[in-house]
Amino acid sequence: MRLSRYFLPVLKEDPAEAEIVSHRLMLRAGMIQQLAAGIYSWLPLGFRVLRKVEQIVREEMDRAGAIEILMPTIQPADIWRESGRYEVYGREMLRIRDRHEREMLYGPTNEENVTDIFRRHVRSYRQLPLNLYHIQWKFRDEIRPRFGVMRGREFLMKDAYSFDYDQAGARRSYEAMFVAYLKTFRRMGLTAIPMQAESGPIGGSMSHEFQILASTGESEVFYDAAFEELDLSGAEIDVERLTGLYAATDDKHDPARCPVPPERLKRARGIEVGHIFYFGTKYSEPMGATVMGPDGREVPVEMGSYGIGVSRLVGALIEAFHDDRGIVWPESVAPFRVGLVSLRPDDPACGGLADALYERLRAAGVETLYDETEERAGAKFATMDLIGLPWQVVVGPRGAKAGLVELRPRAGDERLELTPEALLDRLCS
RNA sequence: CGGGGCGUAGCGCAGUCCGGUAGCGCAUCUGCUUUGGGAGCAGAGGGUCGGCGGUUCGAAUCCGCCCGCCCCGACCA
């Protein structure tokens, strides 16, 4: 992508309304634009990251055996009356009426919706286990939205729903999601700590929330150092052991009763990015989602639900990966992999070499943002640092004459002088 | 919802107390010079001062009502 043809409205100064670093940087890097309290448009750069995060989540869900669907944002109040949540949910739910005065709502979550799908189509235990998920916008009319996309009212969430014949099966489904979550966050370069959690309004008996570590995180967390050394590569992962490892937020952590020896107890700050629940028949029973068992008896299906805040993750990633100059994207979620800077597009040697490099990178399928604008060097560097692409390639008039270009990883202060061929070897591999 | 604050040009702000018809920096446009860490000079454009009503000869400024946004707290992916 040529920067001169792109839409990247970066800000030189900090916006007045942004308090935390991810919000400031997302606004400054031209990733988002606020439309109303807690409601944002995603601009090109932000949208690319959102899509990358979404895709990683999708791939790990698919790998774990979940099946993607897409449910609507608007739901009828009826199904929420069936589950009993219409009255319970409170003012966080945005209630609306259509032209026929029918009561509708903008979905804050989709348990009722998916349970309705299930009950219409699944009759037998032989069709289980089943795990359906979607990645869809939600609306929760938060009392106080804040921190940009970290706590928006409208947000993109992946929510998966498992259906099993019995509790043992439900436990396996839960554990599969548990592991998938660890892998998902790991792929984004994040350390995720699963914690025993209250189940809140979703309800249920078993629940973990996943906090990723960032120094600017909202809550203080304590956890067993073993979480940092997890090997998630193998086929066999000891879930029993993982769910048994100690982790707690500060309000639940009691030093006197902590089972982890002090030398292995880690303390950090965390941001909640995922939450998983096992809630049994809480929805299947009132809504009549039943299956026939091998014994010929009809039983309500055992369910769980599994959420990941996709849009929140974008903010959380920046909280975890930034420095005083801007964002430092991990490669897996970076909006572009390479930022190619032509310092003097008007200089024949420099401009020509940069153009040629851009074509080669493009041909090799390397996602490249090519800055061939007439800005001055300092401004170009500042923008590249701000938007945080993992690899900066600088082509200047002096180097171009000598047949050399510069490679700068965004993380760290390393600078390498390379021939164009050596550079392409490194970036295209 | 309780507490605090803000709304003036695309962005960041001054001007409001003490009424006299709007200003600074950045950005934008034109020209010249510059060109490896957010350039310099010269010129130009851009604002119903959040909205409505009131007071006044005159309101960004005083009064009333309304709207929006931010921050702290209780709640959450």
Side-chain angles (χ1 to χ4, degrees):
Chain A
M1 177 59 64
R2 287 175 180 267
L3 184 56
S4 66
R5 305 279 72 206
Y6 203 44
F7 181 58
L8 184 69
V10 295
L11 268 36
K12 213 161 169 181
E13 288 170 286
D14 277 332
E17 75 266 23
E19 200 65 21
I20 66 166
V21 63
S22 63
H23 191 196
R24 275 204 307 270
L25 288 173
M26 287 184 81
L27 290 167
R28 285 197 53 209
M31 294 177 65
I32 53 171
Q33 175 69 55
Q34 181 168 7
L35 182 63
I39 300 178
Y40 292 84
S41 300
W42 291 75
L43 305 184
L45 198 77
F47 188 52
R48 288 182 77 103
V49 178
L50 187 67
R51 283 281 178 255
K52 292 258 171 108
V53 171
E54 180 183 332
Q55 187 56 24
I56 289 175
V57 170
R58 174 177 290 118
E59 286 170 13
E60 293 303 323
M61 282 297 108
D62 292 347
R63 196 197 306 275
I67 302 165
E68 187 170 15
I69 61 176
L70 183 60
M71 293 180 275
T73 55
I74 305 290
Q75 305 177 26
D78 311 5
I79 56 173
W80 286 70
R81 291 219 164 83
E82 278 194 71
S83 72
R85 279 208 292 181
Y86 193 66
E87 280 71 30
V88 176
Y89 213 91
R91 306 221 295 169
E92 251 184 38
M93 185 153 74
L94 180 65
R95 296 154 204 260
I96 52 186
R97 283 173 189 274
D98 68 11
R99 67 195 300 161
H100 302 292
E101 292 293 311
R102 284 187 285 245
E103 293 176 275
M104 313 291 281
L105 56 99
Y106 196 119
T109 175
N110 290 70
E111 278 83 3
E112 285 80 1
N113 192 163
V114 77
T115 303
D116 179 64
I117 293 170
F118 181 93
R119 69 181 171 185
R120 289 169 185 271
H121 300 289
V122 181
R123 296 273 92 96
S124 161
Y125 78 97
R126 291 169 183 270
Q127 292 167 276
L128 304 182
L130 179 65
N131 185 326
L132 300 174
Y133 78 97
H134 74 339
I135 300 171
Q136 175 66 293
W137 294 91
K138 305 288 186 291
F139 194 94
R140 293 184 190 172
D141 202 353
E142 296 281 342
I143 297 168
R144 182 154 90 88
R146 63 186 124 168
F147 304 147
V149 300
M150 297 271 284
R151 180 169 304 150
R153 291 193 292 172
E154 188 185 54
F155 58 97
L156 188 61
M157 178 165 129
K158 183 284 301 178
D159 37 326
Y161 303 90
S162 66
F163 302 89
D164 284 274
Y165 174 62
D166 56 18
Q167 290 192 16
R171 180 165 199 103
R172 282 192 295 276
S173 293
Y174 185 92
E175 290 175 349
M177 287 293 107
F178 186 96
V179 172
Y181 273 39
L182 291 174
K183 289 183 174 176
T184 300
F185 299 127
R186 176 69 58 89
R187 274 185 67 184
M188 299 175 195
L190 297 166
T191 303
I193 310 296
M195 320 216 165
Q196 301 268 0
E198 306 290 342
S199 44
I202 308 280
S205 55
M206 179 163 55
S207 176
H208 284 87
E209 63 179 50
F210 288 75
Q211 303 248 358
I212 58 121
L213 303 181
S215 57
T216 49
E218 276 192 85
S219 46
E220 187 166 31
V221 299
F222 297 84
Y223 62 95
D224 192 320
F227 278 117
E228 291 177 352
E229 301 137 20
L230 296 181
D231 177 15
L232 302 172
S233 55
E236 284 300 312
I237 291 167
D238 187 350
V239 184
E240 195 83 19
R241 175 175 161 265
L242 289 184
T243 51
L245 285 178
Y246 181 80
T249 49
D250 54 350
D251 49 322
K252 296 203 196 78
H253 177 67
D254 179 358
R257 294 175 48 196
C258 176
V260 183
E263 68 276 12
R264 286 183 22 136
L265 184 68
K266 295 274 202 159
R267 173 192 186 138
R269 302 199 70 82
I271 301 168
E272 185 183 354
V273 290
H275 204 152
I276 63 178
F277 307 86
Y278 162 67
F279 45 70
T281 60
K282 174 174 170 156
Y283 300 95
S284 56
E285 200 161 337
M287 293 186 67
T290 60
V291 291
M292 191 73 81
D295 56 1
R297 289 221 308 238
E298 219 177 327
V299 294
V301 70
E302 295 283 334
M303 293 176 59
S305 77
Y306 315 90
I308 288 180
V310 175
S311 48
R312 171 181 284 187
L313 259 172
V314 177
L317 278 158
I318 294 173
E319 293 291 330
F321 302 115
H322 69 272
D323 62 19
D324 54 358
R325 294 178 318 202
I327 305 168
V328 186
W329 292 115
E331 292 219 21
S332 59
V333 296
F336 294 91
R337 183 152 173 256
V338 172
L340 174 61
V341 177
S342 176
L343 288 182
R344 293 286 303 278
D346 58 324
D347 177 275
C350 178
L353 177 55
D355 278 349
L357 275 176
Y358 177 57
E359 288 311 322
R360 293 282 298 275
L361 287 166
R362 234 165 49 132
V366 179
E367 291 176 311
T368 303
L369 184 62
Y370 177 27
D371 183 354
E372 22 68 291
T373 63
E374 298 292 337
E375 283 294 324
R376 296 168 61 86
K380 292 187 173 211
F381 293 146
T383 297
M384 275 300 165
D385 287 348
L386 174 64
I387 67 174
L389 308 183
W391 300 97
Q392 298 177 0
V393 175
V394 180
V395 182
R398 284 200 307 268
K401 203 166 286 178
L404 290 173
V405 297
E406 198 173 295
L407 179 64
R408 307 178 180 182
R410 175 62 179 83
D413 298 315
E414 196 184 357
R415 296 184 181 190
L416 299 168
E417 293 249 287
L418 299 170
T419 64
E421 290 308 319
L423 177 92
L424 289 165
D425 273 354
R426 286 185 69 134
L427 292 179
C428 300
S429 56

